[in-house]
Amino acid sequence: MLFRGTATAAGSMVLVIIAAIAIFLLVKAIPAINKDTENFLTYKDWFTDGDQPKFGIAATAFGTVLTAALALLMAVPVALGIALCLSHYAHRRVATALSFIIDLLAAVPSVVFGLWGRDYFYEPIANFSKWLHDVAGWLPIFGSNGPYGKSVLLGSVVLAIMVLPIVTSLSREVFLQTPPENQEAALALGSTKWEMIRTAVIPYGRAGIIASVMLGLGRALGETIALALTLGSVFAVNFDLLGPGGVTIASNIASRFGEANEFGRSALIASGLVLFAITLVVNMAARAIVYRRREFVGGSA
């Protein structure tokens, strides 16, 4: 009885904290939105100084979703491959050592990744961007002719490296939970090891894979300092991955909050409200997908 009451109180406290955050953001954001002379949801630029402030989250919200989507596109296949290797292919000692290293990567501060990307990935990404433009410049996403360096591509690569250990660790644990009976049954029917993984391991862990990807997406959407160091901070809505540009809600807040006046900070909090709403929708969608998948598996059983 005591444990149930404590657990209920702890769960309720989480909801209270989320509600308090939402109320704080609303209270701070509404005055700035009311004074905005442009449409807050569709305006691209950010000019909060002066008597006629003009700002909007179109460019920052677009950049947030674009960089997160590209990061997941690069990180998820690699993360799932590493997780399957550690859980079903690698020697036990090797898998244990590599798993420990991957778990350590998840604890590295984001500023370290940002500095690493800015100082050591800048030239390789610039050269790679030039090569992409020379080879596939007819595609709009590779159409920029420079200068190359701080770009959506650089930010997405750094973000993918940051997301990789999270998705890998969770997927590895999910794959290890597959019942041995399912794997042995697939092998007994003549399946190769890969066929066993494809028919027994991956379907069993699909809900966990989705949850790990969504958790990685949440990390990518909210990343701040690493993207502030690697993006070009250009307010534009386009799919150019190579040219100087790219800005996200979190990186814009990190770059401007310290020098902003009271109204500017209120406007940045308004953009934070949008980011809060995006992450809330993503997490709710992930919960719904996982629940439906669990319900489907339970019904099939």
Side-chain angles (χ1 to χ4, degrees):
M1 193 70 174
L2 178 62
F3 175 78
R4 184 172 66 177
T6 304
T8 302
S12 302
M13 184 60 65
V14 172
L15 297 178
V16 170
I17 293 173
I18 293 175
I21 293 173
I23 293 172
F24 165 79
L25 292 174
L26 282 170
V27 170
K28 293 291 185 179
I30 290 176
I33 295 175
N34 289 336
K35 293 181 181 179
D36 190 4
T37 58
E38 296 288 345
N39 190 309
F40 177 68
L41 297 177
T42 60
Y43 190 65
K44 300 177 185 178
D45 291 317
W46 195 270
F47 304 112
T48 56
D49 298 328
D51 297 331
Q52 299 293 325
K54 300 184 295 182
F55 59 93
I57 49 89
T60 54
F62 176 81
T64 299
V65 175
L66 179 62
T67 53
L70 286 175
L72 287 182
L73 187 64
M74 291 183 278
V76 170
V78 178
L80 295 181
I82 296 174
L84 285 173
C85 177
L86 295 178
S87 61
H88 288 83
Y89 285 97
H91 189 275
R92 183 175 179 180
R93 291 184 179 178
V94 175
T96 301
L98 291 178
S99 299
F100 177 73
I101 294 174
I102 291 172
D103 292 339
L104 281 180
L105 283 176
V108 175
S110 59
V111 65
V112 175
F113 283 107
L115 292 172
W116 180 46
R118 187 193 65 180
D119 295 340
Y120 291 96
F121 269 18
Y122 186 93
E123 286 297 330
I125 292 296
N127 295 333
F128 182 60
S129 298
K130 186 178 184 304
W131 178 82
L132 282 176
H133 175 71
D134 294 340
V135 173
W138 51 272
L139 290 174
I141 58 176
F142 303 138
S144 175
N145 56 3
Y148 304 118
K150 286 189 174 183
S151 61
V152 173
L153 180 60
L154 176 60
S156 298
V157 169
V158 173
L159 199 56
I161 296 172
M162 297 176 66
V163 169
L164 185 68
I166 297 174
V167 181
T168 300
S169 297
L170 294 176
S171 299
R172 182 192 72 236
E173 295 302 322
V174 169
F175 293 149
L176 290 174
Q177 298 303 315
T178 305
E181 296 82 2
N182 295 11
Q183 303 179 52
E184 292 170 0
L187 293 173
L189 291 173
S191 300
T192 62
K193 193 164 190 176
W194 166 242
E195 291 172 337
M196 178 271 293
I197 290 174
R198 185 168 55 86
T199 58
V201 177
I202 294 179
Y204 181 84
R206 189 164 294 152
I209 295 172
I210 294 172
S212 67
V213 171
M214 288 301 179
L215 187 61
L217 177 59
R219 170 69 186 272
L221 290 172
E223 182 49 47
T224 304
I225 193 63
L227 292 181
L229 292 170
T230 54
L231 293 179
S233 297
V234 175
F235 290 82
V237 177
N238 58 59
F239 289 94
D240 179 21
L241 305 183
L242 307 182
V247 65
T248 66
I249 294 175
S251 67
N252 185 50
I253 294 174
S255 300
R256 296 175 180 267
F257 199 86
E259 299 178 354
N261 54 27
E262 184 176 354
F263 178 80
R265 292 177 182 176
S266 181
L268 291 172
I269 291 175
S271 67
L273 176 63
V274 176
L275 180 60
F276 179 79
I278 292 174
T279 54
L280 189 63
V281 169
V282 167
N283 281 279
M284 291 176 64
R287 294 286 296 179
I289 293 171
V290 171
Y291 178 77
R292 288 187 62 184
R293 177 64 189 170
R294 187 181 302 163
E295 190 177 52
F296 173 76
V297 172
S300 300

PDB file of all heavy atoms in Angstrom, residues 7-19:
ATOM      1  N   ALA A   7       4.532   5.393  -5.498  1.00  0.00           N
ATOM      2  CA  ALA A   7       4.661   5.349  -6.955  1.00  0.00           C
ATOM      3  C   ALA A   7       3.633   6.266  -7.629  1.00  0.00           C
ATOM      4  O   ALA A   7       3.948   6.964  -8.601  1.00  0.00           O
ATOM      5  CB  ALA A   7       4.493   3.914  -7.451  1.00  0.00           C
ATOM      6  N   THR A   8       2.417   6.258  -7.112  1.00  0.00           N
ATOM      7  CA  THR A   8       1.372   7.128  -7.676  1.00  0.00           C
ATOM      8  C   THR A   8       1.732   8.597  -7.498  1.00  0.00           C
ATOM      9  O   THR A   8       1.555   9.413  -8.405  1.00  0.00           O
ATOM     10  CB  THR A   8       0.020   6.837  -7.006  1.00  0.00           C
ATOM     11  OG1 THR A   8      -0.308   5.449  -7.189  1.00  0.00           O
ATOM     12  CG2 THR A   8      -1.081   7.697  -7.605  1.00  0.00           C
ATOM     13  N   ALA A   9       2.244   8.936  -6.320  1.00  0.00           N
ATOM     14  CA  ALA A   9       2.641  10.318  -6.069  1.00  0.00           C
ATOM     15  C   ALA A   9       3.788  10.742  -6.983  1.00  0.00           C
ATOM     16  O   ALA A   9       3.795  11.865  -7.507  1.00  0.00           O
ATOM     17  CB  ALA A   9       3.046  10.480  -4.609  1.00  0.00           C
ATOM     18  N   ALA A  10       4.752   9.845  -7.194  1.00  0.00           N
ATOM     19  CA  ALA A  10       5.880  10.158  -8.074  1.00  0.00           C
ATOM     20  C   ALA A  10       5.409  10.362  -9.506  1.00  0.00           C
ATOM     21  O   ALA A  10       5.828  11.311 -10.192  1.00  0.00           O
ATOM     22  CB  ALA A  10       6.925   9.047  -8.011  1.00  0.00           C
ATOM     23  N   GLY A  11       4.520   9.482  -9.979  1.00  0.00           N
ATOM     24  CA  GLY A  11       3.984   9.637 -11.329  1.00  0.00           C
ATOM     25  C   GLY A  11       3.184  10.917 -11.486  1.00  0.00           C
ATOM     26  O   GLY A  11       3.280  11.617 -12.508  1.00  0.00           O
ATOM     27  N   SER A  12       2.397  11.241 -10.467  1.00  0.00           N
ATOM     28  CA  SER A  12       1.614  12.484 -10.518  1.00  0.00           C
ATOM     29  C   SER A  12       2.521  13.704 -10.509  1.00  0.00           C
ATOM     30  O   SER A  12       2.222  14.713 -11.164  1.00  0.00           O
ATOM     31  CB  SER A  12       0.652  12.531  -9.329  1.00  0.00           C
ATOM     32  OG  SER A  12      -0.215  11.416  -9.322  1.00  0.00           O
ATOM     33  N   MET A  13       3.624  13.610  -9.784  1.00  0.00           N
ATOM     34  CA  MET A  13       4.560  14.729  -9.727  1.00  0.00           C
ATOM     35  C   MET A  13       5.166  15.025 -11.098  1.00  0.00           C
ATOM     36  O   MET A  13       5.380  16.191 -11.459  1.00  0.00           O
ATOM     37  CB  MET A  13       5.669  14.434  -8.716  1.00  0.00           C
ATOM     38  CG  MET A  13       6.643  15.592  -8.516  1.00  0.00           C
ATOM     39  SD  MET A  13       5.826  17.095  -7.931  1.00  0.00           S
ATOM     40  CE  MET A  13       5.251  16.532  -6.316  1.00  0.00           C
ATOM     41  N   VAL A  14       5.414  13.975 -11.875  1.00  0.00           N
ATOM     42  CA  VAL A  14       5.932  14.174 -13.236  1.00  0.00           C
ATOM     43  C   VAL A  14       4.936  14.971 -14.069  1.00  0.00           C
ATOM     44  O   VAL A  14       5.302  15.921 -14.780  1.00  0.00           O
ATOM     45  CB  VAL A  14       6.237  12.818 -13.898  1.00  0.00           C
ATOM     46  CG1 VAL A  14       6.587  13.008 -15.373  1.00  0.00           C
ATOM     47  CG2 VAL A  14       7.373  12.109 -13.179  1.00  0.00           C
ATOM     48  N   LEU A  15       3.663  14.607 -13.979  1.00  0.00           N
ATOM     49  CA  LEU A  15       2.634  15.345 -14.728  1.00  0.00           C
ATOM     50  C   LEU A  15       2.524  16.787 -14.249  1.00  0.00           C
ATOM     51  O   LEU A  15       2.340  17.705 -15.057  1.00  0.00           O
ATOM     52  CB  LEU A  15       1.281  14.635 -14.577  1.00  0.00           C
ATOM     53  CG  LEU A  15       1.201  13.212 -15.146  1.00  0.00           C
ATOM     54  CD1 LEU A  15      -0.169  12.614 -14.878  1.00  0.00           C
ATOM     55  CD2 LEU A  15       1.484  13.230 -16.646  1.00  0.00           C
ATOM     56  N   VAL A  16       2.652  16.990 -12.961  1.00  0.00           N
ATOM     57  CA  VAL A  16       2.591  18.349 -12.412  1.00  0.00           C
ATOM     58  C   VAL A  16       3.762  19.188 -12.932  1.00  0.00           C
ATOM     59  O   VAL A  16       3.590  20.359 -13.302  1.00  0.00           O
ATOM     60  CB  VAL A  16       2.591  18.303 -10.872  1.00  0.00           C
ATOM     61  CG1 VAL A  16       2.780  19.704 -10.291  1.00  0.00           C
ATOM     62  CG2 VAL A  16       1.292  17.689 -10.366  1.00  0.00           C
ATOM     63  N   ILE A  17       4.953  18.589 -12.981  1.00  0.00           N
ATOM     64  CA  ILE A  17       6.128  19.317 -13.478  1.00  0.00           C
ATOM     65  C   ILE A  17       5.955  19.684 -14.948  1.00  0.00           C
ATOM     66  O   ILE A  17       6.253  20.817 -15.371  1.00  0.00           O
ATOM     67  CB  ILE A  17       7.398  18.469 -13.272  1.00  0.00           C
ATOM     68  CG1 ILE A  17       7.694  18.324 -11.778  1.00  0.00           C
ATOM     69  CG2 ILE A  17       8.587  19.099 -13.985  1.00  0.00           C
ATOM     70  CD1 ILE A  17       8.830  17.375 -11.467  1.00  0.00           C
ATOM     71  N   ILE A  18       5.455  18.745 -15.752  1.00  0.00           N
ATOM     72  CA  ILE A  18       5.227  19.035 -17.175  1.00  0.00           C
ATOM     73  C   ILE A  18       4.208  20.159 -17.334  1.00  0.00           C
ATOM     74  O   ILE A  18       4.389  21.079 -18.144  1.00  0.00           O
ATOM     75  CB  ILE A  18       4.756  17.760 -17.906  1.00  0.00           C
ATOM     76  CG1 ILE A  18       5.883  16.723 -17.936  1.00  0.00           C
ATOM     77  CG2 ILE A  18       4.312  18.088 -19.324  1.00  0.00           C
ATOM     78  CD1 ILE A  18       5.474  15.400 -18.540  1.00  0.00           C
ATOM     79  N   ALA A  19       3.126  20.098 -16.553  1.00  0.00           N
ATOM     80  CA  ALA A  19       2.112  21.155 -16.615  1.00  0.00           C
ATOM     81  C   ALA A  19       2.694  22.500 -16.182  1.00  0.00           C
ATOM     82  O   ALA A  19       2.397  23.544 -16.785  1.00  0.00           O
ATOM     83  CB  ALA A  19       0.914  20.782 -15.740  1.00  0.00           C
TER      84      ALA A  19
END
